[in-house]
Amino acid sequence: MRYKAPERFLVIRFRQMGDAVLATSLLNAIKRNFPGSTTDFVLNERIEPLFRGHPAIDRIITFSDHERHSPLLYIGKIWKIMRRGRYDVIIDMRSTVNTLPFSILSPFTRFRIGIHKPYTKFILNHRFSECPRDADMVTHDVSLLRPFAKYGDVEFCREISLPITDAERGSY
């Protein structure tokens, strides 16, 4: 069987601003290794402005606190995203009970990548250990691309970046 490079990535990184900023290393590594791909980034609505215009993100998908705390709204929105997205790769950076519905609602996605936890066994097909407390979170984040190393060289670049608009540059 011949390997077809993935074209559609979904990266899920709910939490706080710092964790999402560190996740840009993974987003940049995806673009560097799969330059023709598109990457959708799922995060909390309140931090979305920070990532607008990021060159490694093709589409930002946000969830408000209201959506995340209303099970019917939350699952309904995830279902629509997964039906429309038809992703080749889902990278669930936290693999919590709240983030697993993305993979559950997309069981035929070839790469469902996340963290090794007891409840992820039958949902994710590529699972990795959580980042140890004394380890570098950026290295851990980009290591989620390990499933692709068996198909060829993968550059595990560690570049963190945020876009700065001309208006923002001019204000300093």
Side-chain angles (χ1 to χ4, degrees):
M1 182 173 144
R2 196 176 162 122
Y3 171 72
K4 180 182 181 292
E7 297 173 359
R8 303 224 359 106
F9 286 80
L10 179 70
V11 177
I12 307 154
R13 187 57 176 159
F14 287 126
R15 271 290 285 256
Q16 302 306 317
M17 187 182 327
D19 293 325
V21 170
L22 293 176
T24 63
S25 60
L26 174 63
L27 299 167
N28 290 325
I30 290 168
K31 280 298 181 196
R32 185 164 293 157
N33 286 286
F34 306 97
S37 68
T38 60
T39 302
D40 295 350
F41 190 37
V42 177
L43 52 101
N44 293 329
E45 179 182 61
R46 67 184 172 281
I47 62 174
E48 179 269 340
L50 191 58
F51 298 92
R52 256 185 238 147
H54 194 287
I57 302 170
D58 295 291
R59 183 170 72 123
I60 298 172
I61 300 169
T62 62
F63 281 81
S64 67
D65 287 339
H66 175 69
E67 289 170 324
R68 292 202 45 228
H69 294 103
S70 172
L72 288 177
L73 281 175
Y74 185 66
I75 295 298
K77 186 169 180 176
I78 291 172
W79 184 80
K80 288 177 187 171
I81 290 165
M82 301 318 292
R83 297 271 300 168
R84 183 177 57 207
R86 304 210 185 278
Y87 296 100
D88 301 314
V89 179
I90 298 169
I91 301 176
D92 184 347
M93 297 183 76
R94 292 195 56 229
S95 305
T96 66
V97 172
N98 292 324
T99 59
L100 286 176
F102 289 91
S103 292
I104 291 169
L105 294 173
S106 192
F108 300 109
T109 295
R110 183 165 180 206
F111 295 93
R112 294 180 316 280
I113 302 167
I115 306 301
H116 186 279
K117 296 180 180 179
Y119 53 84
T120 63
K121 184 175 185 173
F122 299 108
I123 301 166
L124 303 174
N125 57 6
H126 298 278
R127 301 180 312 148
F128 300 97
S129 298
E130 290 191 70
C131 184
R133 292 202 184 279
D134 62 340
D136 174 358
M137 185 59 116
V138 172
T139 300
H140 175 266
D141 287 353
V142 297
S143 73
L144 293 171
L145 291 179
R146 282 183 281 173
F148 303 104
K150 66 182 174 185
Y151 300 106
D153 291 335
V154 174
E155 186 179 343
F156 296 99
C157 60
R158 302 170 31 86
E159 176 184 315
I160 298 169
S161 63
L162 288 175
I164 299 173
T165 66
D166 290 337
E168 290 168 331
R169 267 191 203 90
S171 67
Y172 290 103

